[in-house]
Amino acid sequence: MLHDLQQSHQQDIQTITQVLEKITNRTPAQIKPLLDAMLKRLIEPQQRPFYETATPTEWSIAFQEWVDSRSTLNLPTLSDEAISRESIYGDN
């Protein structure tokens, strides 16, 4: 799809590249990958975000994967005192 677009609008893309070259002081070789990525994002159908489409089961799996991914970080755990009601709310 992107390749077809690039072929059918080759002159327009070249003009855009030249304008970007002028205003950014970058070479066409530096601009091309960025322009290709932008075009790809613009022409591909937009996917709805996970939070809009996920089922409760998918949420549960995603959350468990996130929890599991943190286990390798070796983060310190909080003591019982640190998470006690008194330490959170004080003497009030």
Side-chain angles (χ1 to χ4, degrees), residues 25-55:
N25 294 321
R26 292 183 183 233
T27 66
Q30 293 171 316
I31 293 169
K32 185 172 179 2
L34 300 170
L35 186 56
D36 289 348
M38 184 179 72
L39 287 171
K40 185 176 179 182
R41 287 187 65 202
L42 290 171
I43 64 171
E44 287 184 352
Q46 296 295 317
Q47 292 183 356
R48 291 176 57 198
F50 177 80
Y51 67 86
E52 286 183 3
T53 61
T55 65

Side-chain angles (χ1 to χ4, degrees), residues 10-67:
Q10 188 173 5
Q11 185 61 42
D12 294 331
I13 292 173
Q14 185 176 5
T15 301
I16 292 168
T17 302
Q18 289 169 346
V19 170
L20 289 171
E21 184 180 9
K22 257 186 222 179
I23 64 175
T24 64
N25 294 321
R26 292 183 183 233
T27 66
Q30 293 171 316
I31 293 169
K32 185 172 179 2
L34 300 170
L35 186 56
D36 289 348
M38 184 179 72
L39 287 171
K40 185 176 179 182
R41 287 187 65 202
L42 290 171
I43 64 171
E44 287 184 352
Q46 296 295 317
Q47 292 183 356
R48 291 176 57 198
F50 177 80
Y51 67 86
E52 286 183 3
T53 61
T55 65
T57 302
E58 290 170 330
W59 271 107
S60 179
I61 291 168
F63 180 71
Q64 190 60 52
E65 288 173 353
W66 178 81
V67 169

Side-chain angles (χ1 to χ4, degrees), residues 65-92:
E65 288 173 353
W66 178 81
V67 169
D68 293 343
S69 73
R70 301 304 185 257
S71 66
T72 60
L73 298 177
N74 295 323
L75 298 172
T77 57
L78 294 173
S79 67
D80 289 341
E81 172 60 29
I83 59 172
S84 70
R85 182 174 182 81
E86 293 79 22
S87 69
I88 294 171
Y89 295 107
D91 294 330
N92 297 337

